Structure formats: C-alpha cells, structure tokens
C-alpha cells in the first residue's frame, strides 16, 4: 500500500476533480476516506483531530490482531499519476452550466455546453443529459402506469449518448470520466460485457471514482467474473474487492480485506459500516451493535446503513434504543428508505403491524428496489396471519434478488402455515441451498418434514444432523434428533444425542423440561442396557426435580437395586475395573 | 385478493382505439341518408360494423395492430370504396395535434351515442345503442379519456404521432425522429433485431444439430422427421445471414452495440385491453396443451418476455411459461414458473375453475398443488405426484374448495389408472374419507374403482360437466381393462363369474358424450366469442405476427370456409376435443374386443371430424392406429407410405406416438423377413423409450419385452424366450395387466409349440383361451383357438379331426376380423389338417387344400413373411406332386426355394430398407 501521505494527496486532488464534474456522491465518498486516514498527531493541533476518534472503544474491545502495514505478499501497487486538468481556467460557459447543474436544471446545463469542446465540458454535458433522461424516465414510469402495472420506461437520451461516446472512444479522445459515462449508458442498455470492459478501462486510468467502481461491482454477479477482470493494483482496488466479496456473500474474505484497509483508513466510517454489514451477515449481532454505537457517536446524522442497526436492535428487542434511533433518523431525514425501514421496525417490535407495513411501503415508494422492505413486509403479514399477502410480498423480494434466502425461507414458512408442508419444502430447499450454513433454515425444514401430514422422519433426521453441524445456537436440533431416534426405536443413537444434549445444557447452565426428558430417557436406557451405575447417576440427578419424574426416578432406583441383587454377576461383566 | 398493489384502471386509450373510434364515427355518422355517405350498399355498411366489432373483441395478439395492418385489412374488405375511408382515417388521426383536438374529438364521439342528448332523434339517423357492444366500447373509451390526467393526454398524443408516422413516412420512426443519421444506423437496427433472435436460433439449432449428429452415428435413430431438420436448416440460413450482416457491422464499429430490442419497440407498441390479452393467453394455453412439444418454445417465449416487460403485473405470463416449459420437458423451469405464478397471484388471476365466491383470504393455493401434481405426473414421477395430490386433497378440504377437490380426485384417478401399482399398501396418506374407510383390505383396483365412483358423484353434484364427462371416460377405460369383482366377497356367492363388461364401457362412453348437448349452459361464451372474432380477422388475410405457431401444418390443409357471414361452429373446442378422445377410446375398445372394421371406422371418424380440434397426442394415436391397421391388413408397403405422411405431420420429437408405431412396424417387418439382428436392435430401442421409473409407461414396457421374447423365439432360443415371457407374465400379474397376460400366455404356448413340446404348450393355450373368454377378447380368442389346433396337430395325425373342428370354429372370426398373418396361418393349418387326415384324399378334392394354400401364399407375400410362405409353397408343391401336376409343382418348388434363400441371407435385402 502506498503511504498515507500519498493517499491523502491523491484523494485531495480527486475530490476537486470529481466535484468539478458534479460527480457528487463519488466525491463524498472520497472525502470520507480522506478524513478517515489517520493523522499524524504530532503535526496537527487537537482541533484538527476533533473529528477523529481517539476514544474508539470498539477497536479496543474487538481488535484482536494488530494490522501491519505491510502489503499482501506478491502485490505490487501501481501508482497512477494524478490527472492534469486540461484547461486551467474554466470557460465561462462551463461555469454557467455548472451552476445550472447545481440547481438541477440539467437540460439547461446541457444546452449551454452544446458547442464546448473541453473534456470537462463534454463530460458535464453528457452527464447532464443522462440525468435529464433519468429524471424524465422516473416521471414517465409514474405517468405510464398502465392497467397491468408499470411498464419499463426508458431513458430516451441513451441512444444519442451512446452514439456520441462511441465516436469519442473511437477517436481516442475520451477521458476516464467519459468512459465511466459510457459504461453507465451501456449498462442501462443491457450490454453488460462491453460495459464491464469500458468501466475497467475507466477505473484503470482513473481509480478514484468510486461511482465507477460501484457500477462495475453491480456487474460482477459471480466470482468468476470478478476474478477475470483485468484490474491494475491500486489501493482503490482493495476497496472494490472488499465490497464485491461482501455482495457475493464471501463474508470472511471481505472482512479480511477491510481489516487490512483499516490499517491506513483507520477512521473511515464507511469501512466500519461495511465491516458491520459483514458481521451482520455472519450473525455476530453484539459486534454489529458495538460498531454502530460507535458510528452513531461520531457521525450522529448518518442515515446510510442504519436500517441494519435497527434490525439488530429488533432482534435484540431493545425497545428504547430502537425508538431513540427512529427518532433520530426521523429528525435527520424522514424521507429516506432507510429511515422508513427503521420506523417500520419499531412499530413491528411494538406489535403494530399495520403501521409498520405502511412505513415499509413508504420505503418502497422511495426506492422500488429496496429489497429488504419487501421481505420485512412479508414478515409483518405473516405476523398478521395474512399468509397470501405475505407470499406475494416475499415473492416480490425474490423477484428483485433471487439470492435472498430470507425471502425464500419466509415463503416456505407461509406455506407451512397454510398447511401445505410438501409445497413449503420446495422453498426451504431453495433457502438452504443459498445459505447452507444457517442452522435455523435446516431446523425449519426438518420441522416441516416432521409435520403430521408428511411424517417423513428419516428426512427430518437428516436435516437436524445438518443443523447440528452448523452450530445450532438454540440447541433445538440435538434434542429433536434424540427424540426422533427414540421414536424410531433406535435407542443407541437416541442415547448418544441425549447425552450430547445433556453435556451442552450443562455447559450452558440451562435447566428445564429438555433436561428432565434427557435424564429420564438416559436413566431408563441405561437400566435396560444393564449399565446400572450410570443409570443410578441419572436417577439421582432426576431426584432434584419435582413432579412425576421424581417418583419415576425413585421407582427406577428401586428396580435397579432389585436387579442388581438378582444378577450380581452381570454387574461385574458390564463394568470391568 | 389482499393484493399488495391494487390493479389500477383496466382500460387505456391507445392510438388503435382512437382509430376504431374514428371508424365508428363513420359507421354511425349523422348522415340523413339511409346508407351513410361512403357506402354504396347496406351490406358494405354492415361489413364495417362487423369489422369494428371484431376489432373490439378479437384476441389474436398481445399488442394492438399497427395502423398499416388496419389499413391493409380495410383495403381487403372494401376494395373499391376504401380510399375515402382511409383518407378520412389518416387525415383525422394526423389532425389530432394538440390536447384540445383530442378533447374535441371525444366530445364529438358523444354525439353518436343515443341517449346522451335526449333531444329529438331525426329520422334515418343511425345511432349507436349505448348498451350494444360497440356502444359500450365507445363509452369506455370516453370514460377512460375523461379519467386521463393531462400528462396522460400528452402521452396519447405522442403515441398517435408514432402510430401515424410509421405509415406516413414508411421508415423507422425513432431514428428518423432523432435525425442524427450515422452510417451505421441500419446496422444498429439490424443488430437490435438480432440480439434475441440469434440467441433463440442458435439454441434451437444446437439442440437439433446435436440430435442429428446422434442420428448419424447410430443408423437406427432415424426418428427425427426430415421435415424438422429441413425447418431447422431454414432457420440456420436465415440466422446465419443475419449474423453475417451484424458481424459486418461489428467490424465497422469495433465496439458494437448490444441493444435490447425493447428499446426500439417500446414506441408504437401498445397493449390491448386486459381481457383481450387474457383471451389471447387462454387461447395460447389451449394451443400448447393441444400441440404439446410441436409448439414453438422459443418464439412464444419471446412474446412472453415482451408481454412481461409491457405488463409486469400480469402474472398469467408465468403460468403460460410454466405450460410452455412443461410441454418442452424442462422440469426446473416449469416448477420455477409454477411457483412464481401462484406466489404472485395466489392463483386468483385468470383461472376460471370455480365460482368467485371461493376467493377468500387464503387464495387458491390448492390449485397450485393440483398443478404441481400434474407436473410430476407429466414428468413420470408417480410417487411425488401422489404425495402432492394428497396434500391438495387436504388443503382443498380445509378451504372448502369443493370443485378443486373434485378435480384433484379426478387427477388422482387418472394417475392411478395410468400407472401400474403393485403394492396393496394404502394409496393415499390422506384423510379423504372413502379411501381412509376402506383400509387395506381391498385390492388396488377396487380402491381405484371406489375412488372413481366417488369422484364422479362429486363432480355430478357440483355440476362440473366437463369433469363429469372425463370421469365417465376414465370409468370406461377402467371397465375396459379390468375384470369386475364384487366389492364385498363372502358367502357362497363369492365365486362369481369374472368377466369384463363391454356394456358398461358403452354406457360410460354414451354418458360421457352427452356433454355435447349440455355445454351451452356453461359460461365460456365470452372466450368463444373472442376466438370467433380472432378467426374472422385472421381469415381476412394471412396471420400477421403469429405465423410462427405452425398454423399451417395442423389445420392448414383444409381451406377456411371464409366468408364474412359464415356461421362459425358454436361448439367450444374443448368439448370437441373431449368427444374426440371419447371416439378414440371407443376405437380402442373395439380393437381390444377384436372387431377390426368397427375399430377402423371409429378411428377414421375421429381423424375426419375431430383431428383438428384434438390434441396432437390424440391425433398421433389415431394415425398410429390406422397405420398399424394398414400393416396388418394391407401389408407393409402401404403402412410405410402412410407412416411417412404421418411423420411429416407430427413434427414432435420427444415421446412421440409415431416413433413407437414406427419401431413396431420395423420390428414386425424385420421378424417376417428374418432379419433377426435388426429386430433385436429395434426391440431394444423400444425398451429404451420407456421411463426407468417403476410403474410408469407400463404399456411400452410390456410391448418391448413381448417383442424381445418374440425375437428370441424367431432366433430359436426357446429357453431364453420362455424365460423372458415368464418374467413378463409375472410383471403383468403384479401390475394387474390382465389383458396383456392373455397375449403373454399365448406367446408361451407358441414358444412351446415351436420348441416341439406341444404337450407343455397345451395348458398355456387353454389358459390364454380362458383369459380371453373372461375379458371378452374375441379376436385373441380366435387366435388362441388356432394355436390350440396347431398344438393338437403337432401331437399326431390322429388329432387332425379335432384340430380341424377347432379351426373351423375359429374361422368366421378370423376371416372377418383377422389380419393377413392370422388368416394365412389359419389357411395353412387347415390345409395341414386335411393333408394329415388319413381319411381325406387329396386327389379327390384337391381344391379344398390348394385354395386355402393359394390364399395363404398371396397374403404372406404381401407381408414378406418368408418362413410361413416357404411352408405354404412346400405344402403346395407336395400336393401338386401327389396330384401329378409336375409343372405347377416345379413352380411352387421354385417359389419355395426363393423364400428359403431370402430367409437364409437377409442381408441381400437390406438395401430395400423401407425407411
């Protein structure tokens, strides 16, 4: 990795260049990373470090290994020269156009720049045209809503833009920004392969445009595609790869990359949020919560990714924290899909499902492709016992992203509720295929097999076994495995699983009905196997409980004593010294 | 349903509707004359009315016709007076240039509706009844316009602009509008068109290419009909030609565009109204089900993709996609789309199975289960199908969906009667009471019978007429194949005579056919209406967009009775289809009972009356029957010629009935000519066609192993043949296929006869005889009697009298209904009887022997059955020798030698291979 200082200079130049071209979100991203680089405390006064956290608690709590700044073996980084601006003095027309653009008068901006030949001007004109087309497209989608739904409106500027950019590219007079533009247009038109090549070209010649990277990422739907991209080794590539791994559900790879990046950008909010995302997918809720608490302290007006935080709070049922969060984002910007989801989550936790559906719907209105809202609406309908509507909502989620295992799982659950376990199995199969490491899915599937209508116990046992292998935190699977095996008359296996379950309960210091059941079974089993001493141990443990089990233990003990006195020889046989 | 997104207004203004309105104005204009201006006669005026009516109802496509097509249609109808009409139409359309024009236009339209102004209606003015179909159409247009926001009106205006421009300027509007012509403009558009097509063509081509390669390797895979290959080659050429163009474009611009064709097409393409689309989709669904795999997969997929893009909330698309992939044997896609359809619409869109009151909060997921069950059935997974259907029974009981329950039960019956079930374990793990009550004490057949009756009763009480009819049909099939046994068998009467009941079969068939008189009361009127309009418009000229659907190959050979006022048949296609399959069952029944002429007549009746309306599987079955008939009664030459014609007609590649028939014919032919290797190969191929799952394709499996045994018999490997026949008998017994058992027993008798063990053969022949008697298999009985006679004859000359009596008893049946081979065998056996009978002297009555021998040789030569023919000639020569007619003796001997020679080296004739 290049030194912090060079990163800093590169980013500073990039921010200026990006905002000159009105690529605001890319420049925002670059700005965040710039501030995220750890400052040299000797050089700066405390007022400069005010925005950076010296008191980061989570880093102390969770960082296990110190990250070194040595680059990954075998990777040599390419330093891309900072781009020189072609016209030092901006033209008057450009200045006018930029102010129009800033006022969101895109067509006007494009018109002003119609005869300008500077690279900046050309890009700005194309970009303005593209945005004008997008704006019109959004409007048309609403206007054209036919009897059978919204038909896909198209951006009418694409054809002209594509033609112009193609000419530019053929002439060789295209700059990286226009290449980005060209890639965007191609992606919109559906020619993904070409779009990918063009975007790679763009990021190789100008790596600091995060928008280009994220477009490229959305075109990498499989690992093979990702690995086949001919990318230069720049530190921006690490950001890209980390984010792409996250999207491709390679969470651990992604985490490793981010932790490595944190060596340089140790104060980047973005990286923290991404780490939280990965941890969330790995279901480490405690850490996610800690990270978000930290984020909230440093960046109190942040809305991005906060819906994930609310999911965690929901799962942990912390009412007050969730309400605090909801209040905060409401005051910051209530018309963001994320804020709507947070409020929806809050109402859902409160059990007011109609209201929460309303908020989720609002989130969808703000962003049609806001996937998690569909899934959450499905959950709400399931809570409201409106299974048909739940099915429809989940299906829409799946249509948006066919890899969303939660929605497939939800579909299965809904059908199971309707008394169609066989049909539900199709969906459970899909969801475990996508997320084979999640014990909850396996347990759900097993329970489906166990249903009275199906009663396919062998298959249920297979599923429970998988669940046990997947580190089943709630310990349902072991107990069920034991029970099912007992039911099928396989005493040895049942005993094995009961014993395991018992060990686990002991380790986790849990008591309860399961414990009693396990003890009763093991006691009787050992007795029938004539392993009296073991049986006695279990019986005496049973004596600690009240109720019929105590009586049972007593009678068992009595029976054991009689059996022992009757057949002393067998006793010796079974328990060699 | 509790739908998440409410369906908005269903009727939208499109340019096509505007031009229909313009024409309506002409039709019902405020002219005083009794025939309005542009029309010279009343009939012309009426014709316009009819034309407009058809346009408001037809459902031949998903999108509105273009102005160009409309103009062409008008030209066809009004050859001379069209000019004024067209001028009026185009000028009126192009005069609509500002929102205000549209306002005024629709305000004018009110004028032609009666009742809007309750002022005086002048004499002779033609006004539109607001409640007529055209009136309602107009009112809906006006209402839809009034509901439009200003943006909507602007869109209508731009759309009308596109709509007209395509005709008026004659070039692609979009590029012209842009006015930014580069040299690669045409290339671009070419490429745009290409993108999807190329993909489709390549896919098809690859598939077929692979098949053809396979065909080249193995000489016997001649099963892909040549026409299909020809068709693909056509595709190839066109695809390649286009591809060349596009690659040229690529060279010109190294970064060629790769554009979805939607971009260009979006303008100038307007969806029809909702129910027109639904009607179209329903028609397509019927077509897919009828034509099976000969329906074009990819062309239809393209259309569905377009429809999905234009109307993302129309979930019916997924159902059609399911059907499409189902009939093209794509299991995963079918299942996926089935789930998608029911998930997104809860089964409430487009299905007209039951009354609307059933629609409740639950949706209709039981229908999803029913469909999934049918899917498993189609793919030959009987176990899964039963499981799913059992769940469907449960869910429909739970949700009180009686009609779905009835359909599910019918589906279960169908499934059970199609597949072989060996075990007596409970069929259904379900709570459905009639079955649950019976327990396991009854045989599978009895359970099935009870289930059938129950399902019939349920359908009757629900007044589901088609279901009743099809249940009757299933019952008829059941009676045909199964011996009736009393359900409660105890006491002295338990030993009842076991017999099938032909009367029951006839009764069920008649009951089933009463459907045709009852269909009128069903509420399918709307769709038939739409279909008529569609047909009417299609007859006007060649189909516009949908010629890909092989319209011509199926019904094209009959000229349309196309006149404007022809009364279209008012019987719905599905009823005709049902009656057709009924006719086929009737033919099958006669075939089994052994009346060749009646079977043939029924099949012919089917082919003539119902072939156009029935499914391609049914039609193929009928053609197969006719071809087999030709082979047994007219010899192979005729049969192979007919087969060629039939193969051209049934382009379907997979699971084809034609293929089975062809293999049967080839096997039979090879056996007769003594080409045992070929016969073996063919019978193996037949065996491979059957699904490996137990209980599925039982008919094919028995057929294959029967033929295997016969091949072994012909190769004189008696013990092996007997072993195969024995195992076949065991299988038939296990799966309750008694009708097949009769022929297996006969085959066993035949094997023992050929092996010279006549005594062992006798019990088999007798057993077969008694089977035939109890199952009413008359022709098979005659042939069993013949075998019995031959066996007696083998035992010695002193049994000749008895054999002769047996033959004589069977002769009427054999001569009336038997095929060439059977007749020849009977004649030879008769002659042998006479010759071996010591009390019969040849010289006294030579014609008794010679006559039948001559007849036998003629028939056998038609069949090219060398072995038997040689025998006949041998007998003939001996007889002539006895009579002292040496010249004729030499002739017969020469024929004998030639047949023996042909039998000895069959390779000589290989190049005469018929196919």
């Amino acid at each position: 990795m290049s030194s912090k200082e060079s990163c800093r200079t590169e980013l500073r130049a990039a921010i200026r260049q990006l905002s000159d071209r009105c690529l605001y979100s890319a420049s925002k991203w670059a700005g965040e990373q710039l501030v995220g680089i750890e400052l040299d405390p000797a050089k700066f006064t405390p007022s400069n470090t005010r925005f950076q956290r010296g008191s980061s608690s989570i880093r102390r709590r969770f960082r296990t290994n110190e990250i070194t700044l040595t680059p990954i073996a075998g990777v040599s980084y390419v330093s891309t020269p900072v781009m020189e601006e072609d016209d030092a003095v901006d033209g008057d027309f450009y200045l006018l156009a930029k102010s129009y653009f800033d006022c969101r008068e895109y067509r006007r901006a494009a018109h002003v720049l119609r005869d300008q030949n500077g690279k900046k001007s050309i890009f700005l004109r194309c970009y303005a045209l593209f945005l004008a087309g997008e704006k019109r497209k959004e409007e048309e989608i609403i206007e054209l809503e036919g009897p059978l739904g919204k038909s896909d409106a198209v951006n009418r500027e694409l054809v002209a833009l594509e033609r112009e950019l193609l000419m530019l590219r053929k002439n060789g007079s295209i700059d990286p920004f226009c290449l980005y533009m060209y890639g965007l247009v191609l992606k919109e038109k559906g020619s993904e392969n070409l779009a990918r090549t063009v975007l790679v070209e763009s990021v190789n010649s100008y790596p600091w445009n995060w928008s280009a990277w994220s477009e490229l990422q959305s075109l990498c739907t499989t690992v093979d595609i990702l690995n086949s991209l001919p990318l230069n080794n720049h530190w921006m590539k690490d950001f890209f790869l980390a984010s792409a791994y996250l999207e491709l559900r390679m969470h651990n790879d992604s985490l490793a990359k981010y932790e490595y990046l944190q060596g340089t950008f140790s104060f980047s909010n973005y990286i923290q949020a991404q780490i939280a995302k990965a941890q969330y997918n790995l279901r480490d809720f405690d850490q996610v919560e800690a990270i978000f608490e930290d984020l909230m302290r440093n960046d109190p007006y942040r809305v991005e990714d906060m819906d994930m935080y609310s999911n965690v709070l929901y799962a942990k049922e912390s009412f007050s924290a969730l309400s605090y969060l909801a209040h905060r984002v409401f005051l910051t910007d209530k018309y963001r899909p994320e804020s709507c989801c947070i409020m929806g989550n809050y109402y859902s936790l409160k059990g007011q499902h109609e209201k929460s559906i309303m908020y989720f719907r609002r989130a969808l209105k703000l962003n049609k492709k806001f996937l998690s809202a569909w899934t959450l609406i499905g959950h709400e309908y399931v809570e409201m016992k409106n299974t048909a509507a739940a099915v429809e909502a989940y299906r829409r989620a799946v249509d948006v992203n066919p890899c969303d295992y939660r929605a497939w799982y939800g579909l299965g659950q809904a059908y199971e509720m309707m008394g169609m376990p066989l049909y539900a199995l199709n969906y459970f199969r899909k969801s475990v295929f996508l997320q084979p490491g999640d014990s909850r899915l396996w347990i759900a599937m097993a329970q489906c097999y166990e249903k009275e209508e199906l009663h396919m116990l062998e298959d249920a046992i297979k599923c429970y076994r998988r669940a046990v292998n997947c580190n089943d935190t709630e310990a349902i699977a072991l107990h069920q495995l034991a029970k099912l095996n007992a039911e099928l008359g396989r005493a040895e296996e049942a005993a094995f699983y009961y014993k395991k379950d018992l060990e686990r309960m002991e380790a986790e210091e849990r008591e309860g009905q399961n414990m009693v059941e396990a003890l009763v079974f093991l006691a009787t089993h050992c007795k029938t196997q004539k392993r009296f001493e073991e049986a006695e141990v279990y019986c005496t443990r049973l004596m600690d409980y009240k109720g019929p089990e105590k009586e049972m233990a007593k009678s068992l003990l009595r029976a054991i004593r009689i059996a022992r006195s009757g057949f002393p020889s067998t006793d010796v046989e079974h328990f060699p010294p | 349903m509790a739908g998440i997104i409410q369906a908005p207004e269903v009727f939208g203004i499109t340019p096509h509707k505007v031009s229909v309105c313009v024409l309506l104005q002409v039709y019902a204009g405020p002219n005083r004359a009794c025939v309005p201006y542009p029309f010279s006669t009343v009939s012309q005026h009426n014709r316009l009315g009819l034309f407009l009516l058809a346009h408001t109802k037809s459902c031949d496509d998903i999108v509105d016709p273009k102005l160009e097509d409309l103009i062409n249609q008008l030209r066809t109808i009004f050859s001379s007076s069209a000019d004024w009409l067209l001028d009026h139409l185009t000028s009126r359309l192009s005069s609509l240039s500002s929102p205000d024009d549209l306002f005024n236009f629709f305000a004018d339209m009110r004028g032609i509706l009666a009742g809007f102004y309750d002022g005086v209606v002048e004499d002779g003015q033609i006004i539109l009844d607001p409640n007529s179909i055209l009136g309602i159409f107009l009112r809906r247009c006006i209402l839809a316009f009034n509901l439009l926001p200003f943006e909507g009106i602007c869109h209508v205006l731009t759309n009308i602009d596109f709509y007209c421009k395509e005709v008026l300027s004659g070039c692609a509007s979009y590029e012209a509008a842009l006015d930014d012509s580069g040299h690669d403009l045409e290339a671009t558009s070419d490429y745009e068109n290409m993108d999807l097509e190329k993909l489709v063509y390549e896919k098809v081509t690859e598939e077929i290419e692979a098949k053809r390669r396979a065909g080249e390797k193995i000489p016997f895979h001649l099963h892909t009909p040549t026409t299909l290959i020809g068709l693909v080659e056509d595709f190839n050429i066109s695809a390649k030609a286009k591809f060349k163009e596009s690659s040229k474009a690529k060279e010109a611009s190294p970064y060629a565009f790769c554009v979805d064709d939607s971009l260009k097409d979006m303008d100038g393409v307007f969806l029809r109204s909702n129910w027109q689309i639904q009607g179209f989709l329903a028609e397509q669904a019927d077509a897919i089900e009828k034509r099976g795999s000969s329906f074009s997969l990819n062309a239809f997929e393209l259309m569905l993709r377009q429809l999905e893009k234009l109307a993302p909330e129309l979930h019916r698309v997924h159902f059609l996609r399911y059907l499409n992939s189902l009939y093209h044997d794509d299991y995963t896609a079918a299942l996926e789309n089935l789930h998608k359809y029911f998930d997104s619409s809860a089964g409430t869109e487009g299905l007209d199975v039951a009354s609307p009151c059933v629609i409740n909060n639950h949706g209709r997921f039981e229908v999803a289960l029913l469909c999934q069950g049918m899917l498993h059935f189609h793919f030959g997974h009987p176990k899964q199908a039963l499981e799913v259907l059992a769940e469907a029974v449960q869910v429909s009981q739970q949700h009180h969906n009686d009609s779905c329950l009835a359909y599910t039960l019918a589906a279960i019956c169908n499934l059970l009667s199609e597949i072989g079930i060996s075990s007596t374990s409970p069929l259904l793990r379900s709570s459905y009471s009639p079955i649950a009550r019976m327990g396991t004490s009854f045989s599978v057949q009895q359970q099935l019978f009870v289930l059938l009756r129950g399902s019939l009763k349920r359908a009757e009480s629900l007044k589901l007429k088609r279901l009743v009819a099809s249940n009757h049909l299933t019952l008829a099939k059941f009676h045909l194949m199964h011996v009736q046994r009393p359900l409660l068998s105890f006491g002295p009467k338990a030993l009842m005579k076991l017999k099938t009941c032909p009367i029951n079969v006839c009764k069920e068939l008649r009951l089933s056919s009463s459907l045709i008189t009852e269909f009128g009361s069903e509420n399918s009127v709307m769709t038939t209406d739409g279909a008529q309009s569609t047909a009417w418009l299609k007859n006007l000229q060649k189909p516009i967009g949908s010629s890909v659907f092989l319209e011509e190959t199926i019904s094209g050979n009959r000229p349309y009775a196309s006149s404007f006022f022809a009364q279209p048949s008012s019987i719905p296609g599905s009823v005709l289809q049902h009656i057709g399959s009924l006719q086929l069952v009737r033919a099958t029944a006669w075939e089994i009972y052994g009346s060749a002429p009646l079977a043939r007549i029924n099949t012919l009746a089917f082919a003539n009356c119902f072939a156009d309306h029935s499914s391609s599987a049914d039609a193929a079955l009928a053609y197969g029957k006719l071809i087999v008939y030709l082979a047994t009664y007219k010899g192979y030459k005729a049969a192979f010629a007919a087969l060629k014609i039939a193969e051209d007609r049934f382009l379907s590649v997979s699971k084809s009935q034609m293929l089975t028939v062809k293999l049967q014919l080839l096997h039979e032919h090879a056996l007769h000519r003594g080409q045992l290797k070929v016969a073996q190969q063919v019978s193996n191929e037949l065996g491979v066609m059957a699904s490996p799952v137990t209980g599925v394709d039982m008919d094919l499996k028995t057929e294959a192993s029967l033929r295997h045994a016969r091949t072994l018999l012909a190769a004189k490997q008696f013990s092996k043949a007997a072993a195969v026949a024995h195992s076949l008998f065991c299988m038939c017994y296990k799966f309750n296929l008694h009708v097949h058992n009769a022929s297996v027993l006969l085959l066993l008798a035949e094997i023992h006869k050929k092996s010279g063990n006549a005594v062992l053969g006798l019990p088999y022949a007798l057993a077969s005889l008694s089977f035939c008697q109890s199952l009413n298999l008359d022709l098979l009985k005659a042939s069993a009697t013949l075998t019995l006679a031959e066996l007696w004859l083998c035992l010695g000359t002193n049994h000749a009298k008895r054999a002769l009596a047996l033959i004589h008893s069977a002769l009427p049946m054999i001569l009336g209904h038997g095929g060439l081979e059977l007749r020849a065998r009977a004649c030879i056996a008769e002659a042998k009887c006479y010759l071996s009978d010591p009390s019969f002297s040849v010289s006294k009555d030579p014609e008794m022997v010679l006559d039948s021998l001559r007849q036998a040789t003629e028939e056998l030569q038609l069949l090219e059955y060398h072995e038997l023919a040689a025998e006949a000639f041998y007998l003939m020569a001996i007889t002539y020798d006895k009579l002292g007619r040496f010249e004729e003796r030499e002739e017969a001997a020469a024929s004998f030698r030639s047949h023996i020679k042909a039998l000895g080296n069959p390779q000589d004739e290989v190049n005469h291979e018929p196919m």
Side-chain angles (χ1 to χ4, degrees), chain B residues 716-856:
Chain B
K716 304 227 176 344
Q717 297 181 332
F718 300 115
S719 57
K720 267 191 196 169
V724 171
H726 269 297
S727 69
L728 179 59
F729 180 82
C730 293
M731 188 182 81
C732 287
Y733 187 80
K734 193 171 149 198
F735 290 102
N736 289 302
L737 303 169
H738 299 299
V739 174
H740 293 287
N741 260 344
S743 42
V744 178
L745 284 171
L746 190 58
L747 178 67
L748 275 169
E750 202 78 30
I751 291 170
H752 285 295
K753 186 188 89 189
K754 287 261 170 72
S755 67
N757 228 337
V759 185
L760 269 182
L762 275 179
Y764 286 114
L766 287 171
S768 172
L769 208 59
S770 73
F771 256 95
C772 291
Q773 217 150 18
S774 65
L775 291 165
N776 292 305
L777 313 172
D778 291 350
L779 187 61
L780 199 61
K781 188 181 149 200
S783 111
T785 319
L786 181 62
T787 307
L788 193 60
E790 285 168 343
L791 284 169
W792 279 120
L793 204 58
C794 292
L795 285 178
T797 48
N798 45 345
H799 296 294
K801 271 253 159 49
R802 190 196 295 226
L804 196 61
L806 278 172
I807 289 170
H808 281 163
S809 75
L811 262 188
M813 189 65 203
I814 289 175
L815 293 180
H817 299 280
L820 291 175
E821 185 190 343
L822 192 61
R823 285 210 300 250
R825 261 180 61 205
C827 290
I828 292 174
E830 194 193 7
K832 264 173 150 177
C833 283
Y834 282 126
L835 287 178
S836 56
D837 188 357
S839 60
F840 177 81
S841 112
V842 186
S843 48
K844 206 190 281 173
D845 197 0
E847 285 310 302
M848 283 277 269
V849 179
L850 284 177
D851 217 25
S852 47
L853 281 179
R854 224 172 275 137
Q855 200 190 333

Side-chain angles (χ1 to χ4, degrees), chain A residues 390-567:
Chain A
V391 163
E392 198 180 333
Y394 285 131
R395 171 48 81 171
R396 277 170 195 277
V398 169
D399 284 344
V400 177
N401 179 7
C403 294
D404 184 23
Y405 71 94
R406 287 185 195 84
W408 287 116
Y409 169 72
L411 273 170
Q413 231 179 0
Y415 279 111
E416 203 185 339
M417 275 170 70
M418 279 188 276
M420 298 161 72
L422 198 64
Y423 201 74
L425 279 175
N426 291 316
Y427 295 105
F428 283 133
R429 248 173 248 141
K430 273 242 163 75
S431 88
V432 292
F433 171 74
L434 291 169
Q435 188 82 357
D438 195 332
S439 62
R440 292 167 306 158
L441 305 180
W442 287 109
I443 289 174
M445 192 157 157
Q447 280 166 348
C448 201
Y449 274 120
E450 247 187 293
K451 277 266 154 113
E452 192 185 347
E453 294 96 329
L454 294 180
H455 209 69
M456 294 154 88
L457 298 185
E458 292 295 335
D459 299 284
I461 285 179
K462 275 181 214 158
C463 290
Y464 278 129
R465 265 197 214 129
R466 292 290 301 253
V468 170
N469 292 341
C470 297
N471 182 28
D472 164 32
T473 45
E474 287 154 75
I476 302 170
L478 272 177
H479 183 70
Q480 284 304 106
L481 263 180
K483 235 167 129 175
L484 283 181
N485 275 314
E487 206 173 304
L488 290 171
R490 298 176 193 149
E492 273 309 316
E493 274 125 80
F496 172 75
Y497 286 116
Y498 269 126
K499 236 181 238 171
K500 258 192 150 179
D501 197 21
L502 204 62
E503 276 163 25
R504 200 167 160 167
M505 281 189 275
E506 280 162 5
E508 291 171 12
E509 294 176 358
R510 279 186 290 134
E511 299 270 312
Q513 194 54 40
N514 286 358
M515 179 80 107
V516 177
E517 243 173 78
L519 286 174
V520 167
F521 180 86
L522 285 172
T524 33
H525 176 71
C526 290
K527 199 206 126 208
T528 45
Q529 295 284 310
K530 307 231 159 54
R531 299 202 299 248
F532 295 119
E533 275 182 26
E534 241 180 293
E536 255 175 272
V537 173
Y538 291 125
C539 282
T540 38
R541 282 185 68 181
L542 260 181
M543 299 289 272
D544 295 345
Y545 294 90
K546 285 171 192 157
E549 284 81 13
K550 189 170 181 174
E551 296 307 312
M552 197 182 157
K554 274 185 191 162
S555 62
L556 264 178
L557 272 177
R558 225 171 291 132
I560 289 170
R561 232 161 279 142
I562 292 167
R564 278 184 136 176
S565 58
F567 310 96

